Amino acid sequence: MWMTPKRSKMEVDESRVFRTEWTQRYLVVEPPEGEGALCLVCRRLVVATRERDVRRHYEAEHDYYERYVAEGERAALVERLRQGDLPVVAPLTPEERAARAGLGLARLLALKGRGWGEGDFVYQCMEVMLRDVLPEHLSVLDGIDLSPEVTRQRVLNINKNLRSQLFDRAKDFKAYSLALDDQAFVAYENYLLVFVRGVGQDLEVQEELLTIINLTRHFSVGALMAAILEALQTAGLSLQRMVGLTTTHTLRMIGENSGLVSYMREKAVSPNCWNVIHYSGFLHLELLSSYDVDVNQIINTISEWIVLIKTRGVRRPEFQALLTESESEHGERVNGRCLNNWLRRGKTLKLVFSLRKEIEAFLVSIGATTVHFTDKQWLCDFGFLVDIMDHLRELSELLRVSKVFAAAAFDHICTFEVKLNLLQRHIEEKNLTHFAAFREVVDELKQHLKEDQKIFDPDRYQVVICRLQKEFERHFKDLRFIKKDLELFANPFNFKPEYAPISVRVELTKLQANTNLWNEYRVKDLGQFYAGLSAESYPIIKGVACKVASLFDSNEICEKAFSYLTRNQHTLSQPLTDEHLHALFRIATTEIEPHWDDLVRGRNESNP
């Protein structure tokens, strides 16, 4: 998976470059015309020529040919396929087809967060449809078992298959980083989600869930450390290859003396280990930053309003957009914590602010208190909160874009810090150009107050922005420490050798003098450029590239898990073992395709 366009361009613009080694590995050739990769087996064109896409097609459709593992066998197989001589693949028996269908349905139920018992309902739906539309094919359902027990076991089997594939790929990681997310909660228990981002020799990046840890049972930092180290050891990942650590900025993670980060860094300190780069602002940026900028407990008040709307105003047309947005995020049934987290998003606060007049009228109609709507200070705080959270939302959306390396993501962080300086100066000057909601509140208040009355105190909001600046400086301190490495990685031909570390100057000078490499750099993205760079001629630069590429550049996979959790909170709150939760989160976040043939064979041997 090539992760970034070259230089500062943030949009994904992966070039369609076919690589010759894919022919033996994935049984594809370069098509005579156009872009993509032509499959030798099914003659289909894989349009998006990224190794991830080609491999996904191969593993999903032609995993049977993995039995040809020896180099001579593989070459002979390719030659036969070129001549149109397809090896005979034994067709699936009716029992195997039924097993394959059952596995696919179990995976779909897991992806949608449906309970195990809903497999029976799906079976009944298919039965009704076939009886009315294709009665002669009704018998195909006879071998498909979607009972809760079988569905549960199939989900576990899929998880084992995906986990095995991840471990096989992890053996080839040259460098990796971990993301630790302790904001996941199921019912009354919190979990730590541990994600891994690894980079192979060809700079193909893999982001996957490594493990989940029940924080109720692993309460101490020492117990957490032991569980993480055990997961790393099981995956065959040594601390010597760990480059980065991305976390939330809770005390459990970044406490100065007792935080998990301190313990892990201490554990990773040895002559053979790299200095572990830690940054804590990527994950749940809006959620955790909202606690620093909510100066008047605004969100708690809004939460009370939403509860009233959901119970007594659900049929009011003016609130339908708000209710629809709420249900799309976390379903009809929602607990207080889900609701509170949803309200800590800039998009949600902006929507609530636009409905403040309607909400006030609704509260009056049901006899609830409306004291906040006559409180000048509270209204100003509300407007300020909406605006500052909207700015954080814009940054969070940029950091949610994957397929960019950490160098480009760090540019967004630096840009936002410059923006905070500008916002602070504007607040000091009472210039509300970049505070649309705040300006709207002030304009409304001016109509009801005397001209000489002070509407808001700039110092109150300067303190908030200053606090946010200090938090950003603390969260991304380590990225500033490797700023030269990031710049060298992103712009190797524009980086002045005299500013580079002494150890890399000779290699950098040689690189910049190579015309062929310069031409490659111009037409390829960074991932492909560094993948083709000779490790023998440029070992230090290649090593820097692997380290930078292994750093988490977005919060996409964590947001994917968190979104799955909030959408399916009710289902996940049912009695589930940690093993089942692990399986559901892995299936919901993975980009790996299960090896269906292996799963079917496993089913025939011992499993349902």
Side-chain angles (χ1 to χ4, degrees):
M1 184 168 61
W2 303 115
M3 296 300 287
T4 186
K6 69 186 185 70
R7 294 181 284 278
S8 61
K9 184 179 177 183
M10 292 298 296
E11 293 81 16
V12 178
D13 184 25
E14 296 175 317
S15 59
R16 306 289 191 254
V17 179
F18 182 87
R19 296 171 58 192
T20 55
E21 59 265 30
W22 293 349
T23 298
Q24 283 205 19
R25 191 182 304 173
Y26 304 122
L27 307 181
V28 293
V29 293
E30 189 171 7
E33 295 181 1
E35 301 172 341
L38 181 65
C39 179
L40 288 171
V41 182
C42 62
R43 298 295 170 178
R44 284 169 55 189
L45 184 67
V46 182
V47 179
T49 310
R50 294 173 295 182
E51 183 165 9
R52 178 188 65 182
D53 301 307
V54 177
R55 182 180 64 224
R56 181 178 293 174
H57 170 79
Y58 173 75
E59 292 177 346
E61 304 293 337
H62 310 302
D63 188 46
Y64 168 83
Y65 294 99
E66 275 297 291
R67 63 187 63 190
Y68 297 89
V69 292
E71 185 175 347
E73 286 183 337
R74 202 72 177 173
L77 172 64
V78 169
E79 191 58 34
R80 288 178 63 185
L81 292 173
R82 284 182 186 274
Q83 297 172 7
D85 180 15
L86 292 180
V88 178
V89 180
L92 292 176
T93 64
E95 292 79 11
E96 289 174 333
R97 286 201 299 270
R100 173 78 180 260
L103 285 162
L105 287 169
R107 181 197 187 198
L108 184 60
L109 288 171
L111 281 171
K112 298 301 181 182
R114 315 310 296 181
W116 316 124
E118 296 196 29
D120 285 336
F121 176 68
V122 172
Y123 185 94
Q124 292 169 19
C125 291
M126 292 191 297
E127 190 176 32
V128 169
M129 182 185 69
L130 287 176
R131 184 181 295 115
D132 292 336
V133 180
L134 297 169
E136 67 276 13
H137 294 292
L138 188 60
S139 60
V140 300
L141 296 178
D142 294 343
I144 302 178
D145 188 351
L146 295 179
S147 63
E149 296 77 14
V150 172
T151 302
R152 183 185 297 114
Q153 185 59 49
R154 282 175 175 153
V155 168
L156 291 178
N157 290 345
I158 292 172
N159 175 57
K160 290 176 184 176
N161 183 276
L162 295 171
R163 187 168 176 259
S164 175
Q165 290 188 64
L166 172 61
F167 290 176
D168 287 341
R169 297 181 187 187
K171 296 174 185 175
D172 299 326
F173 289 168
K174 299 300 180 184
Y176 72 90
S177 295
L178 297 180
L180 309 179
D181 182 1
D182 62 346
Q183 291 301 300
F185 54 93
V186 179
Y188 299 103
E189 294 185 309
N190 272 30
Y191 286 83
L192 176 68
L193 303 184
V194 182
F195 300 96
V196 62
R197 175 184 168 108
V199 178
Q201 181 64 38
D202 58 358
L203 262 78
E204 183 186 3
V205 178
Q206 189 81 44
E207 285 187 14
E208 293 290 334
L209 176 69
L210 180 64
T211 188
I212 67 170
I213 301 170
N214 191 320
L215 294 175
T216 306
R217 301 173 190 170
H218 299 79
F219 185 76
S220 69
V221 173
L224 274 179
M225 267 290 299
I228 294 172
L229 293 177
E230 181 183 354
L232 290 174
Q233 185 177 11
T234 304
L237 294 169
S238 65
L239 288 176
Q240 282 75 15
R241 287 183 282 164
M242 186 165 76
V243 175
L245 202 55
T246 307
T247 68
T248 60
H249 47 270
T250 59
L251 285 176
R252 182 192 286 114
M253 293 291 112
I254 62 170
E256 188 172 348
N257 297 317
S258 58
L260 183 60
V261 172
S262 300
Y263 278 76
M264 290 202 70
R265 278 183 148 174
E266 188 176 325
K267 189 74 176 178
V269 171
S270 78
N272 298 320
C273 292
W274 295 324
N275 292 324
V276 176
I277 302 301
H278 169 250
Y279 45 104
S280 57
F282 270 26
L283 309 186
H284 306 293
L285 176 68
E286 289 180 87
L287 172 63
L288 296 175
S289 296
S290 67
Y291 291 98
D292 295 323
V293 299
D294 187 3
V295 294
N296 205 351
Q297 300 298 307
I298 306 290
I299 292 173
N300 289 341
T301 301
I302 297 175
S303 181
E304 295 172 3
W305 296 348
I306 301 300
V307 170
L308 288 172
I309 290 172
K310 280 179 169 286
T311 53
R312 303 179 65 179
V314 70
R315 296 187 182 278
R316 292 187 175 237
E318 63 267 31
F319 299 138
Q320 294 310 303
L322 182 65
L323 294 171
T324 301
E325 177 73 19
S326 171
E327 290 179 11
S328 69
E329 289 292 328
H330 44 236
E332 295 182 8
R333 303 180 183 182
V334 57
N335 63 30
R337 185 168 176 182
C338 269
L339 178 62
N340 192 272
N341 288 351
W342 175 63
L343 290 172
R344 292 183 181 277
R345 295 184 177 183
K347 181 181 177 182
T348 307
L349 285 171
K350 201 171 182 178
L351 179 57
V352 173
F353 181 81
S354 69
L355 293 170
R356 65 192 186 283
K357 300 295 185 184
E358 290 82 354
I359 292 174
E360 182 180 10
F362 164 71
L363 294 176
V364 170
S365 69
I366 64 172
T369 180
T370 58
V371 64
H372 297 97
F373 291 97
T374 57
D375 185 336
K376 178 183 67 174
Q377 184 67 72
W378 192 92
L379 288 171
C380 288
D381 291 345
F382 186 18
F384 174 79
L385 176 65
V386 170
D387 289 326
I388 204 72
M389 289 302 298
D390 194 49
H391 291 306
L392 285 165
R393 175 194 59 79
E394 292 175 358
L395 175 61
S396 182
E397 287 179 355
L398 291 172
L399 296 180
R400 203 171 293 149
V401 177
S402 64
K403 301 182 175 68
V404 297
F405 286 122
F410 183 54
D411 286 343
H412 284 313
I413 299 297
C414 294
T415 302
F416 185 76
E417 290 178 327
V418 173
K419 187 177 184 178
L420 285 178
N421 288 330
L422 175 66
L423 294 178
Q424 189 171 40
R425 288 199 303 272
H426 281 192
I427 283 289
E428 183 180 6
E429 299 165 358
K430 295 189 178 182
N431 179 353
L432 302 182
T433 302
H434 297 291
F435 295 89
F438 196 1
R439 184 174 66 247
E440 192 174 335
V441 170
V442 170
D443 290 343
E444 290 176 359
L445 290 173
K446 284 180 179 178
Q447 297 176 8
H448 300 93
L449 298 176
K450 297 178 181 179
E451 291 186 4
D452 58 342
Q453 278 189 282
K454 186 177 181 181
I455 296 178
F456 71 93
D457 179 11
D459 292 343
R460 179 181 179 85
Y461 304 113
Q462 281 186 281
V463 169
V464 176
I465 296 175
C466 184
R467 185 190 308 141
L468 200 57
Q469 287 175 312
K470 290 180 180 178
E471 287 298 304
F472 267 74
E473 185 177 343
R474 182 165 64 99
H475 297 328
F476 299 103
K477 180 175 62 177
D478 278 11
L479 287 181
R480 290 181 178 82
F481 178 72
I482 61 166
K483 188 175 181 180
K484 283 189 177 181
D485 298 87
L486 298 176
E487 291 174 352
L488 171 62
F489 173 81
N491 298 285
F493 285 91
N494 295 330
F495 196 92
K496 294 183 179 180
E498 57 267 29
Y499 295 143
I502 295 176
S503 60
V504 79
R505 288 179 185 175
V506 173
E507 283 188 19
L508 186 58
T509 303
K510 184 169 68 170
L511 175 76
Q512 293 177 352
N514 191 315
T515 306
N516 291 332
L517 289 177
W518 163 244
N519 290 331
E520 287 186 22
Y521 174 74
R522 286 167 45 192
V523 299
K524 292 182 178 181
D525 63 43
L526 279 176
Q528 290 176 324
F529 170 75
Y530 281 112
L533 195 65
S534 170
E536 295 179 358
S537 302
Y538 305 96
I540 299 177
I541 293 179
K542 187 88 170 185
V544 170
C546 283
K547 293 178 186 179
V548 173
S550 71
L551 294 173
F552 275 88
D553 56 13
S554 78
N555 57 13
E556 183 190 33
I557 190 169
C558 297
E559 287 295 329
K560 191 187 294 185
F562 197 70
S563 176
Y564 178 79
L565 171 66
T566 53
R567 274 199 323 270
N568 305 299
Q569 181 64 214
H570 178 68
T571 301
L572 297 176
S573 296
Q574 305 304 314
L576 292 171
T577 64
D578 289 351
E579 185 182 17
H580 283 108
L581 281 174
H582 194 166
L584 291 173
F585 276 110
R586 185 181 299 284
I587 291 171
T589 58
T590 188
E591 292 189 341
I592 300 174
E593 188 71 16
H595 284 163
W596 298 112
D597 288 348
D598 289 347
L599 286 164
V600 170
R601 284 197 296 270
R603 185 260 185 191
N604 288 336
E605 292 167 8
S606 59
N607 299 321

